[in-house]
């Protein structure tokens, strides 16, 4: 089946503490978002790539593409007020009867191997997401009294992207009215009634949300072993 990806890059950089949104910051002398797009194109150059960014960032992105001679094929779609709206806008550009991943624009280090595993499994399982085991001890906190108790970390997983689905299913799921419980695409799919299957993710498939994350990504992209 045709492979597609919706890359959501609507961050404003507030948590990062930068005037420039983190998806446009430089990683190994190239904007982060360009690395993310290239990761999918490099895995399969027939990928349909849709990138969702705020409409007011369109001119800046075009300038960056010109400056860095970035010619990897992709389509730009305007984002919405929320991530949910942005994903829905991106999905409107995806063909039916395809496999579509929804990916964070600031996860630039996704490997070809993980992409292939997710998309191949989605063809038979319909909905797959990558996840890694939690290594830190966990506690649950009661917000009313501040008391906490330990929980078994073995039954928890940290979820990554791309979350990959048959396009017909995810497009129909995104026609549901928005609910506060929609914390990611998998939660939308579950509300629609489709089972979500977990595939082992990668420790290096990090999301860049802070200056520390960017520094780690810089080491990884230059093959400096830190894990």
């Amino acid at each position: 089946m045709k492979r597609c990806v919706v890359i959501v890059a609507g961050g404003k950089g507030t948590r990062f503490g930068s005037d420039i949104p983190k998806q446009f910051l430089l990683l190994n002398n190239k904007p982060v978002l360009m690395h993310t797009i290239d990761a999918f194109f490099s895995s399969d150059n027939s990928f349909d790539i849709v990138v969702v960014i705020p409409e007011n960032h369109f001119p800046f992105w075009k300038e960056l593409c010109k400056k860095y001679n970035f010619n990897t094929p992709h389509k730009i779609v305007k984002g919405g007020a929320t991530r949910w709206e942005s994903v829905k806008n991106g999905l409107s550009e995806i063909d039916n009867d395809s496999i579509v991943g929804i990916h964070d624009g600031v996860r630039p280090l996704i490997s070809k191997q993980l992409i292939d595993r997710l998309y191949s499994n989605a063809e038979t399982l319909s909905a797959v997401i990558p996840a890694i085991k939690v290594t830190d001890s966990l506690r649950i906190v009661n917000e009313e009294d501040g008391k906490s108790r330990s929980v078994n970390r073995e039954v928890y997983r940290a979820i990554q992207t791309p979350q990959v689905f048959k396009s017909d299913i995810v497009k129909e799921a995104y026609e549901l009215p928005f609910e506060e419980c929609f914390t990611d695409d998998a939660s939308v799919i579950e509300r629609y009634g489709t089972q979500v299957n977990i595939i082992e993710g990668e420790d290096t498939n990090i999301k860049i949300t802070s200056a520390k994350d960017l520094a780690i990504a810089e080491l990884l992209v230059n093959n400096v072993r830190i894990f």
Side-chain angles (χ1 to χ4, degrees), residues 68-85:
Y68 292 93
N69 194 29
F70 186 70
N71 299 309
T72 302
H74 65 283
K75 182 173 186 177
I76 295 296
V77 174
K78 69 176 181 180
T82 64
R83 185 186 186 280
W84 180 83
E85 291 180 22

Side-chain angles (χ1 to χ4, degrees), residues 165-183:
F165 314 98
K166 287 185 175 177
S167 61
D168 296 12
I169 292 173
V170 70
K171 291 174 76 170
E172 288 182 16
Y174 263 88
E175 292 302 317
L176 293 171
F178 176 76
E179 298 182 39
E180 291 297 330
C181 65
F182 291 165
T183 56

Side-chain angles (χ1 to χ4, degrees), residues 38 47 56 177 179:
D38 275 342
F47 246 105
N56 63 332
E179 298 182 39

Side-chain angles (χ1 to χ4, degrees), residues 14-222:
T14 51
R15 280 188 294 171
F16 197 94
S18 170
D19 293 332
I20 301 174
K22 52 187 177 289
Q23 63 268 29
F24 301 136
L25 293 173
L26 295 187
L27 169 62
N28 201 32
N29 300 313
K30 186 170 73 174
V32 167
L33 182 55
M34 293 181 185
H35 287 275
T36 307
I37 294 170
D38 275 342
F40 286 87
F41 185 75
S42 297
S43 75
D44 182 343
N45 61 16
S46 67
F47 246 105
D48 279 347
I49 301 173
V50 174
V51 180
V52 186
I53 61 175
E55 192 170 17
N56 63 332
H57 289 165
F58 281 17
F60 184 53
W61 175 246
K62 290 179 180 178
E63 289 177 11
L64 288 175
C65 289
K66 183 177 181 180
K67 179 179 180 180
Y68 292 93
N69 194 29
F70 186 70
N71 299 309
T72 302
H74 65 283
K75 182 173 186 177
I76 295 296
V77 174
K78 69 176 181 180
T82 64
R83 185 186 186 280
W84 180 83
E85 291 180 22
S86 294
V87 171
K88 189 171 182 177
N89 289 351
L91 288 172
S92 69
E93 300 297 326
I94 298 298
D95 293 335
N96 293 329
D97 300 317
S98 60
I99 301 294
V100 56
I102 303 169
H103 190 57
D104 299 322
V106 289
R107 286 190 193 267
L109 304 180
I110 176 87
S111 72
K112 179 184 187 305
Q113 292 75 23
L114 181 54
I115 292 171
D116 285 342
R117 282 195 288 118
L118 288 164
Y119 278 79
S120 295
N121 277 278
E123 289 192 17
T124 55
L125 298 176
S126 298
V128 298
I129 62 174
I132 58 175
K133 291 183 177 181
V134 177
T135 56
D136 292 329
S137 294
L138 297 176
R139 298 187 70 84
I140 188 167
V141 179
N142 186 317
E143 293 184 356
E144 293 183 359
D145 58 18
K147 293 181 179 180
S148 68
R149 61 179 175 83
S150 63
V151 295
N152 181 8
R153 68 185 178 194
E154 294 300 322
V155 301
Y156 290 91
R157 296 292 183 271
I159 305 304
Q160 303 178 331
T161 68
Q163 300 186 1
V164 185
F165 314 98
K166 287 185 175 177
S167 61
D168 296 12
I169 292 173
V170 70
K171 291 174 76 170
E172 288 182 16
Y174 263 88
E175 292 302 317
L176 293 171
F178 176 76
E179 298 182 39
E180 291 297 330
C181 65
F182 291 165
T183 56
D184 64 357
D185 311 296
S187 58
V188 181
I189 288 290
E190 285 180 324
R191 175 64 76 189
Y192 179 71
T194 298
Q195 179 181 330
V196 174
N197 302 276
I198 289 179
I199 300 296
E200 188 68 26
E202 295 173 333
D203 289 337
T204 52
N205 184 25
I206 63 173
K207 184 178 181 180
I208 297 175
T209 59
S210 67
K212 180 183 73 174
D213 298 327
L214 187 60
I216 291 172
E218 191 79 33
L219 293 173
L220 290 170
V221 81
N222 286 292

